[in-house]
Amino acid sequence: MASLPPIDLPPGATGAGAFDAQAAETDGGVLFDHLLRLGDDSLILGQRLGEWTGHAPSVEVDLSLANIALDLIGQATHFLNYAGEIEGKGRDGDALAFHRDVLDFRNCWLVEQPNGDFAQTMARQLLFSTWQKSLFEALKGSADRTISAVAEKAVKEVSYHQELAAEWVIRLGDGTDESRRRMQDGLDWMWRFVPELFDMDEATAFLAARGIGADVAALRADYDRRIDAVLAEATLDRPRDQRPILGGRRGHHSEHLGHLLCTMQFLPRTYPDATW
Amino acid sequence: MYTTELSKTTNVASTEDPDKLAAFEARVAADEFIEPKDWMPEAYRRTLTRQISQHAHSEIVGMLPEGNWITRAPSLRRKAILLAKVQDEAGHGLYLYSAAETLGTSREQMIEALHSGKAKYSTIFNYPTLTWADIGAIGWLVDGAAIMNQVPLQRTSYGPYARAMVRVCKEESFHQRQGYEIMMAMCAGTADQKRMAQDALNRWWWPSLMMFGPPDADSPNTAQSMRWRIKRETNDELRQKFVDITVPQAAALGLSIPDPALRWNEAKGGHDYGDVDWEEFYAVVRGEGPVAKERIKARRDAWEEGAWVRDAAAAYAAKRNRKAEAA
Amino acid sequence: MAQDWPLWEVFVRSRGGLSHRHVGSVHAPDPEIALRHARDTYTRRMEGISLWVVPSAQIVASDPADDAAMFDPAADKVYRHPTFYSIPDDVTHI
């Protein structure tokens, strides 16, 4: 999509003053960091979808949302456990999920956005799952065999998420005046977080060059086509491009993430000696 | 989740065709299944609709106390398990609504009856879940009591209900075990965890006993319901069975059941236990449970806030049908 | 307006070689969503490899009141069953 260019930094600059500045140091290596990005995306979105349980527009939709959440929590478990292995400091997926603070989370801004109404939730799902599907398609060929195995399994799950979200966006977009307005609002809210998904920072480029990670920038043209096709069928307007908001991959997040973590991490944090 | 069958006297015979009624009773007595289009006495239809829809409502409202902990589950494994369990409850509610709909009442009517307070659901869900141990206690005790109620209903006389119960029982087999596993972890854990576990048992024990419904003496329809195979064992029989099974399970956890009168009675081959506070039970039935208002508000809000979604999808379908007809 | 969606009957083929079997119903606004709902409700435990959904209103059922006329006449057509015919034991492959 023709959004505004990301904020480019001269090579080697620490970007003092910029919100989405490159972090000065990373503590576990670039592969560890990459696995956190994959795992945290799934974890945080799974957590968000879990908030819907018992409150969806129909019992059937409740079941659908829980299925998506379960797939995502499963992906997060694989990626974060593997991240712990790569780090080699004895942390497992649970330690990483429940004992890191905002600055150490590597998920994108899109997944931490609040559920809002069902339209906003579906806007987030379409924009994320469409990307995640292309990403996992690419990662199936990863030189890292654990990543490729997880991607191989997860791509089927994510295809379903993408299709379901697309069907809902189409129905809400082309439904009633009210649903159309809500759907458009939901998309407009989420739109500024899309460029972050395709941001080729140094770490991404490094892993892509070694065949471990994906060249995310290359996924963009296909993504635009897929999103445009859904929006056209939904008779929705493509939102106007907004200044991209970046920073999640470096631990700089929205205010929402801290609150999400408060809830999610409350038990292991309050009772650090307990086994559950 | 079982539905608390409340005493409502029903008069069966008066208006029905005696030949049809006799044939119906004979089929039920011969362990045959009644199917949706078969002739059935109105009282049977009414009683079943009430029982199945109460059962369905209990599943749906029952998602709330446990759903309250999905975002706070203490590990990734526990989070996935709890999500899957609460999702099962949505599924079970759905199977049961489907079964009840075959009796001629729409799901919408049933949901409206729930929201208006006309329809009841199991009293147990009007208590709050305060700590993670409550998730363990619900699985262990509440699902344990539910299974005891539901297993015999797999052979209930109404085909769609029986088939729904077969599915429910099969899926629910993991629910009680995961609850007990949570309790085991807590009881083997820190002093804080043990305290939570004992407190959860203290709060959930008596409401669990109430799940089997009022004493047999106060359940006027039991005989008729048992003849119709809508019910297979009496409230007191099931309650006794539950107590006898649960006492050693609590002992294995190292927890004490909050009943000073509880003791083994060699002569009857079962436990004696203290009197259930039926005033408390009836107060909760009347809608005076500690979080009854929260539960109904949550269900109403979900339904009302989802109205525009349901309308939008229906409008989309109508548009598409019009286009297809025009083409 | 706060209405519910129409009802669909769900049929699942549990594995290759078996026919679809009725398992229950779901509410859904249209055929595609009905399939999604059927999948998310009735195949969470690997119960199926294929799904059918049919609008409940489209099911045509026989009337139990006509049972006797519909099904009893088949009862005395014993010659339709192989056991009706007696063949000597020493005649094989028949």
Side-chain angles (χ1 to χ4, degrees):
Chain A
M1 82 205 52
S3 36
L4 299 180
I7 304 156
D8 285 318
L9 293 170
T14 59
F19 177 77
D20 51 354
Q22 189 87 44
E25 82 271 8
T26 49
D27 54 357
V30 70
L31 179 57
F32 173 67
D33 202 66
H34 183 63
L35 291 166
L36 291 184
R37 292 179 184 194
L38 294 170
D40 289 348
D41 278 351
S42 295
L43 174 62
I44 300 301
L45 188 54
Q47 173 76 3
R48 278 288 184 230
L49 291 171
E51 293 171 11
W52 269 105
T53 310
H55 307 282
S58 84
V59 187
E60 286 87 354
V61 175
D62 233 312
L63 283 144
S64 297
L65 294 174
N67 265 349
I68 300 178
L70 279 168
D71 288 340
L72 291 166
I73 298 297
Q75 293 163 15
T77 307
H78 287 302
F79 284 127
L80 293 180
N81 278 334
Y82 185 42
E85 275 176 44
I86 291 296
E87 187 194 33
K89 290 182 185 168
R91 292 202 283 183
D92 62 3
D94 282 334
L96 290 168
F98 296 97
H99 294 281
R100 279 178 298 151
D101 201 352
V102 167
L103 292 180
D104 293 320
F105 267 81
R106 292 288 177 267
N107 59 280
C108 59
W109 275 59
L110 183 61
V111 293
E112 70 198 43
Q113 294 306 304
N115 288 338
D117 61 12
F118 187 65
Q120 185 165 316
T121 293
M122 284 299 115
R124 185 183 62 199
Q125 201 65 48
L126 177 71
L127 295 176
F128 181 74
S129 297
T130 305
W131 173 77
Q132 205 189 24
K133 185 184 171 195
S134 306
L135 177 73
F136 287 163
E137 290 281 5
L139 289 179
K140 271 161 64 176
S142 171
D144 183 298
R145 290 176 68 175
T146 306
I147 294 181
S148 70
V150 178
E152 175 94 41
K153 171 179 175 290
V155 76
K156 291 177 244 168
E157 300 166 349
V158 173
S159 297
Y160 190 82
H161 307 168
Q162 194 275 336
E163 288 164 21
L164 185 80
E167 280 175 1
W168 272 115
V169 169
I170 289 165
R171 277 151 188 78
L172 299 179
D174 194 17
T176 60
D177 290 345
E178 181 183 5
S179 71
R180 178 189 179 75
R181 177 182 57 71
R182 287 175 182 264
M183 198 60 243
Q184 193 71 56
D185 287 351
L187 279 170
D188 288 346
W189 180 271
M190 298 296 171
W191 201 249
R192 65 196 187 280
F193 311 120
V194 171
E196 184 180 34
L197 303 173
F198 301 98
D199 182 36
M200 279 297 274
D201 66 359
E202 223 173 273
T204 310
F206 178 86
L207 289 176
R210 280 154 188 78
I212 294 169
D215 178 354
V216 287
L219 305 177
R220 186 139 179 190
D222 185 48
Y223 180 88
D224 284 349
R225 258 196 314 279
R226 291 188 201 202
I227 296 291
D228 284 346
V230 174
L231 295 186
E233 200 176 339
T235 69
L236 288 164
D237 299 324
R238 187 191 170 84
R240 268 188 317 115
D241 284 330
Q242 305 160 25
R243 179 174 185 259
I245 307 295
L246 309 175
R249 303 301 189 199
R250 293 155 205 172
H252 291 176
H253 294 275
S254 68
E255 290 171 350
H256 304 298
L257 183 64
H259 293 281
L260 180 150
L261 295 183
C262 273
T263 304
M264 186 175 83
Q265 299 179 336
F266 144 73
L267 271 178
R269 295 276 199 177
T270 310
Y271 304 99
D273 301 328
T275 310
W276 306 95
Chain B
M1 247 22 81
Y2 181 64
T3 159
T4 309
E5 202 245 337
L6 297 168
S7 42
K8 272 206 175 96
T9 25
T10 40
N11 190 354
V12 192
S14 57
T15 57
E16 303 289 2
D17 175 337
D19 291 344
K20 284 184 175 171
L21 188 60
F24 171 86
E25 294 282 3
R27 285 185 65 195
V28 173
D31 270 355
E32 282 183 41
F33 288 104
I34 306 300
E35 294 297 339
K37 296 189 78 177
D38 293 347
W39 184 90
M40 60 185 86
E42 265 320 297
Y44 178 84
R45 185 185 299 276
R46 228 176 19 246
T47 308
L48 258 180
T49 304
R50 189 174 67 231
Q51 179 170 330
I52 303 174
S53 67
Q54 279 181 16
H55 198 160
H57 296 327
S58 299
E59 297 283 355
I60 298 302
V61 176
M63 295 171 72
L64 297 169
E66 290 175 283
N68 181 37
W69 279 90
I70 287 175
T71 56
R72 290 179 289 169
S75 70
L76 295 170
R77 176 172 175 269
R78 293 282 179 215
K79 192 184 288 292
I81 292 170
L82 186 58
L83 250 169
K85 176 178 192 276
V86 179
Q87 185 196 41
D88 272 352
E89 279 149 19
H92 299 170
L94 215 150
Y95 308 156
L96 287 160
Y97 280 130
S98 293
E101 280 177 286
T102 62
L103 290 161
T105 308
S106 75
R107 184 167 80 176
E108 200 175 327
Q109 287 171 307
M110 292 186 258
I111 290 175
E112 270 157 23
L114 172 70
H115 293 177
S116 70
K118 217 179 106 207
K120 302 295 178 197
Y121 55 90
S122 187
T123 50
I124 194 99
F125 303 117
N126 292 317
Y127 294 91
T129 48
L130 302 183
T131 73
W132 177 249
D134 290 24
I135 301 307
I138 288 181
W140 171 35
L141 301 173
V142 178
D143 287 295
I147 289 166
M148 209 158 271
N149 271 314
Q150 288 172 167
V151 165
L153 287 175
Q154 294 178 93
R155 297 273 311 140
T156 190
S157 61
Y158 189 57
Y161 192 24
R163 291 191 286 275
M165 291 321 298
V166 168
R167 227 184 157 78
V168 167
C169 288
K170 200 168 123 205
E171 297 190 353
E172 241 172 38
S173 52
F174 94 83
H175 291 187
Q176 193 189 14
R177 292 173 72 93
Q178 68 84 36
Y180 196 74
E181 194 196 71
I182 290 176
M183 295 306 273
M184 289 198 304
M186 309 259 326
C187 291
T190 64
D192 283 323
Q193 287 177 297
K194 282 180 205 154
R195 177 178 170 226
M196 288 184 226
Q198 182 62 56
D199 178 71
L201 174 57
N202 293 351
R203 281 181 290 112
W204 292 98
W205 174 254
W206 292 105
S208 297
L209 294 191
M210 293 177 197
M211 283 178 72
F212 297 96
D216 293 348
D218 301 327
S219 305
N221 287 332
T222 292
Q224 178 182 286
S225 288
M226 290 184 67
R227 197 176 70 241
W228 281 346
R229 290 166 35 227
I230 292 174
K231 196 169 182 171
R232 309 300 307 252
E233 286 174 80
T234 73
N235 297 353
D236 287 334
E237 284 165 3
L238 287 168
R239 193 166 12 248
Q240 182 67 50
K241 215 190 224 179
F242 177 77
V243 171
D244 292 337
I245 285 177
T246 312
V247 167
Q249 293 170 349
L253 291 170
L255 296 176
S256 22
I257 289 175
D259 179 1
L262 186 75
R263 61 181 54 84
W264 177 253
N265 179 333
E266 191 61 51
K268 81 169 180 187
H271 292 82
D272 290 333
Y273 54 93
D275 292 333
V276 177
D277 180 357
W278 293 110
E279 278 316 302
E280 161 77 9
F281 172 76
Y282 286 113
V284 180
V285 168
R286 285 194 305 270
E288 295 166 19
V291 294
K293 284 195 191 308
E294 284 87 341
R295 298 289 184 246
I296 285 297
K297 182 179 186 307
R299 286 313 311 159
R300 246 189 237 142
D301 287 352
W303 181 249
E304 282 163 17
E305 285 161 23
W308 68 270
V309 176
R310 297 191 303 276
D311 290 349
Y316 175 82
K319 268 187 220 179
R320 212 166 57 163
N321 288 342
R322 274 199 304 275
K323 269 184 216 160
E325 275 163 28
Chain C
M1 187 166 76
Q3 284 179 355
D4 209 339
W5 294 317
L7 196 62
W8 304 71
E9 299 304 317
V10 180
F11 300 80
V12 175
R13 183 201 297 284
S14 56
R15 52 191 158 80
L18 297 182
S19 50
H20 286 75
R21 216 180 108 196
H22 182 246
V23 292
S25 57
V26 290
H27 286 262
D30 58 59
E32 291 82 9
I33 297 285
L35 270 178
R36 303 269 173 213
H37 287 174
R39 182 258 196 190
D40 286 333
T41 304
Y42 290 103
T43 64
R44 284 172 291 134
R45 286 175 167 80
M46 302 182 294
E47 290 96 334
I49 55 161
S50 165
L51 275 172
W52 289 349
V53 290
V54 181
S56 306
Q58 298 291 315
I59 301 275
V60 182
S62 61
D63 185 342
D66 298 338
D67 273 3
M70 290 283 276
F71 306 113
D72 288 359
D76 66 350
K77 312 294 192 293
V78 280
Y79 42 79
R80 287 198 167 109
H81 300 278
T83 46
F84 178 70
Y85 304 92
S86 38
I87 305 284
D89 285 349
D90 51 357
V91 179
T92 55
H93 302 296
I94 186 160

Coordinates of all heavy atoms in Angstrom, one line a residue, chain B residues 15 26 33 44 56 69 74 77 79-80 102 115 148 151 173 187 190 192 199 201 212 224 240 246 255 299 317-319:
Chain B
T15 N -56.5 -33.0 29.3 CA -57.0 -32.6 28.0 C -56.5 -33.6 26.9 O -56.9 -33.3 25.7 CB -56.4 -31.2 27.7 OG1 -55.0 -31.2 27.8 CG2 -57.0 -30.2 28.6
A26 N -46.7 -46.2 26.8 CA -46.3 -47.5 26.5 C -44.9 -47.5 25.8 O -44.0 -48.2 26.1 CB -47.3 -48.3 25.7
F33 N -37.4 -44.3 21.9 CA -37.2 -42.9 21.9 C -38.3 -42.2 21.2 O -38.9 -42.7 20.2 CB -35.9 -42.6 21.1 CG -34.6 -43.0 21.9 CD1 -33.9 -44.2 21.5 CD2 -34.2 -42.3 22.9 CE1 -32.8 -44.6 22.2 CE2 -33.1 -42.6 23.6 CZ -32.4 -43.8 23.3
Y44 N -45.5 -33.2 28.5 CA -44.2 -33.7 28.2 C -43.4 -32.7 27.4 O -42.3 -32.3 27.7 CB -44.4 -35.0 27.4 CG -43.1 -35.7 26.9 CD1 -42.4 -36.5 27.8 CD2 -42.6 -35.5 25.6 CE1 -41.2 -37.2 27.3 CE2 -41.5 -36.1 25.2 CZ -40.8 -37.0 26.0 OH -39.7 -37.6 25.6
A56 N -29.6 -25.6 28.7 CA -28.8 -24.8 27.7 C -28.4 -23.5 28.4 O -27.2 -23.1 28.2 CB -29.6 -24.6 26.5
W69 N -11.7 -16.0 34.1 CA -10.2 -16.3 34.4 C -9.4 -16.6 33.2 O -8.2 -16.9 33.3 CB -10.1 -17.4 35.5 CG -10.3 -16.8 36.8 CD1 -11.5 -16.7 37.5 CD2 -9.3 -16.3 37.7 NE1 -11.3 -16.1 38.7 CE2 -10.0 -15.8 38.8 CE3 -7.9 -16.1 37.5 CZ2 -9.3 -15.2 39.9 CZ3 -7.2 -15.5 38.6 CH2 -7.9 -15.0 39.7
P74 N -2.7 -18.9 34.7 CA -1.3 -18.7 35.1 C -0.3 -19.3 34.2 O 0.9 -19.1 34.5 CB -1.3 -19.3 36.5 CG -2.4 -20.3 36.5 CD -3.4 -19.8 35.5
R77 N -0.4 -23.3 29.1 CA -1.1 -24.6 29.0 C -2.5 -24.4 29.7 O -3.5 -24.8 29.1 CB -0.3 -25.7 29.8 CG -1.0 -27.0 29.9 CD 0.0 -28.1 30.4 NE -0.7 -29.3 30.7 CZ -1.3 -29.6 31.8 NH1 -1.3 -28.8 32.9 NH2 -1.9 -30.8 32.0
K79 N -4.1 -21.7 30.1 CA -4.9 -20.8 29.3 C -5.6 -21.5 28.2 O -6.8 -21.4 27.9 CB -4.1 -19.6 28.7 CG -4.9 -18.5 28.2 CD -4.0 -17.4 27.5 CE -3.3 -16.6 28.5 NZ -4.1 -15.7 29.4
A80 N -4.8 -22.4 27.5 CA -5.4 -23.1 26.4 C -6.5 -24.1 26.9 O -7.6 -24.2 26.3 CB -4.3 -23.9 25.6
T102 N -36.3 -28.4 18.5 CA -37.1 -29.4 17.8 C -38.4 -29.6 18.5 O -39.3 -30.2 17.9 CB -36.4 -30.7 17.8 OG1 -36.2 -31.2 19.2 CG2 -35.0 -30.7 17.1
H115 N -33.3 -13.7 29.5 CA -33.0 -12.3 29.8 C -34.1 -11.6 30.6 O -33.8 -10.7 31.4 CB -32.8 -11.6 28.5 CG -31.6 -12.0 27.8 ND1 -31.2 -11.6 26.5 CD2 -30.6 -13.0 28.1 CE1 -30.1 -12.2 26.1 NE2 -29.7 -13.0 27.1
M148 N -22.6 -36.4 36.9 CA -23.5 -37.4 37.6 C -24.9 -37.3 37.1 O -25.6 -38.2 37.0 CB -23.4 -37.1 39.1 CG -23.6 -38.3 39.9 SD -22.8 -38.1 41.5 CE -21.2 -38.7 41.1
V151 N -25.0 -38.2 32.8 CA -24.7 -39.6 32.3 C -26.0 -40.3 32.1 O -26.2 -40.9 31.0 CB -23.7 -40.3 33.1 CG1 -23.7 -41.8 32.8 CG2 -22.3 -39.7 32.9
S173 N -15.7 -35.2 29.5 CA -15.0 -36.1 30.3 C -13.6 -35.5 30.7 O -13.1 -35.8 31.8 CB -14.7 -37.4 29.6 OG -14.2 -37.2 28.3
C187 N -2.8 -27.8 45.9 CA -2.6 -28.4 47.2 C -1.2 -28.9 47.4 O -0.8 -29.1 48.6 CB -3.6 -29.6 47.3 SG -5.3 -29.0 47.4
T190 N 2.3 -23.8 47.4 CA 2.7 -22.9 48.5 C 1.6 -22.7 49.4 O 0.4 -23.2 49.2 CB 3.1 -21.5 47.9 OG1 1.9 -20.9 47.4 CG2 4.2 -21.5 46.9
D192 N 0.0 -20.1 50.2 CA -1.0 -19.2 49.6 C -1.9 -20.1 48.7 O -3.1 -19.9 48.7 CB -0.3 -18.2 48.7 CG 0.2 -17.0 49.5 OD1 -0.4 -16.7 50.5 OD2 1.3 -16.5 49.1
D199 N -10.2 -22.5 50.6 CA -11.3 -21.5 50.5 C -12.3 -21.8 49.4 O -13.5 -21.6 49.6 CB -10.7 -20.1 50.4 CG -11.7 -19.0 50.3 OD1 -12.4 -18.8 51.3 OD2 -11.9 -18.5 49.2
L201 N -13.0 -24.7 48.1 CA -13.8 -25.9 48.5 C -14.9 -25.4 49.5 O -16.1 -25.8 49.4 CB -13.0 -27.0 49.1 CG -13.7 -28.2 49.7 CD1 -14.7 -28.8 48.6 CD2 -12.8 -29.2 50.3
F212 N -28.2 -30.6 42.7 CA -29.1 -31.7 42.5 C -30.5 -31.4 42.7 O -31.4 -32.3 42.5 CB -28.6 -32.9 43.3 CG -27.2 -33.4 43.0 CD1 -26.1 -32.9 43.8 CD2 -27.0 -34.2 41.9 CE1 -24.8 -33.3 43.4 CE2 -25.7 -34.6 41.6 CZ -24.6 -34.1 42.4
Q224 N -43.3 -38.5 37.9 CA -43.7 -38.4 36.5 C -42.4 -38.2 35.6 O -42.4 -38.9 34.5 CB -44.6 -37.1 36.3 CG -45.0 -36.9 34.9 CD -45.8 -35.6 34.7 OE1 -47.0 -35.6 35.1 NE2 -45.2 -34.6 34.2
Q240 N -26.5 -38.1 47.3 CA -25.7 -39.1 48.1 C -24.5 -39.7 47.4 O -23.4 -39.8 47.9 CB -26.7 -40.2 48.5 CG -26.1 -41.3 49.5 CD -25.7 -40.7 50.8 OE1 -26.6 -40.0 51.5 NE2 -24.5 -40.8 51.3
T246 N -17.0 -37.9 46.3 CA -16.2 -36.7 46.5 C -15.4 -36.7 47.8 O -14.2 -36.2 47.8 CB -17.0 -35.4 46.4 OG1 -17.9 -35.5 45.3 CG2 -16.2 -34.2 46.3
L255 N -7.7 -31.7 51.7 CA -8.6 -30.6 52.0 C -9.7 -31.2 52.9 O -10.1 -32.3 52.8 CB -9.2 -30.1 50.7 CG -8.2 -29.4 49.7 CD1 -9.0 -29.0 48.5 CD2 -7.6 -28.2 50.4
R299 N -25.1 -11.4 29.9 CA -25.8 -12.1 28.8 C -26.6 -11.1 27.9 O -26.6 -11.2 26.7 CB -26.6 -13.2 29.3 CG -25.9 -14.5 29.7 CD -24.8 -14.9 28.8 NE -25.2 -15.0 27.4 CZ -24.5 -15.0 26.3 NH1 -23.2 -14.8 26.5 NH2 -25.0 -15.0 25.1
A317 N -27.4 -11.2 3.6 CA -27.9 -12.4 3.0 C -29.2 -12.0 2.2 O -29.4 -12.6 1.1 CB -28.3 -13.4 4.1
A318 N -30.0 -11.1 2.7 CA -31.2 -10.7 2.0 C -30.8 -10.1 0.7 O -31.4 -10.3 -0.4 CB -32.1 -9.8 2.9
K319 N -29.8 -9.2 0.7 CA -29.4 -8.5 -0.5 C -28.9 -9.5 -1.5 O -29.2 -9.4 -2.7 CB -28.2 -7.6 -0.2 CG -28.5 -6.2 0.2 CD -27.2 -5.4 0.3 CE -27.3 -4.4 1.5 NZ -26.1 -3.7 1.7

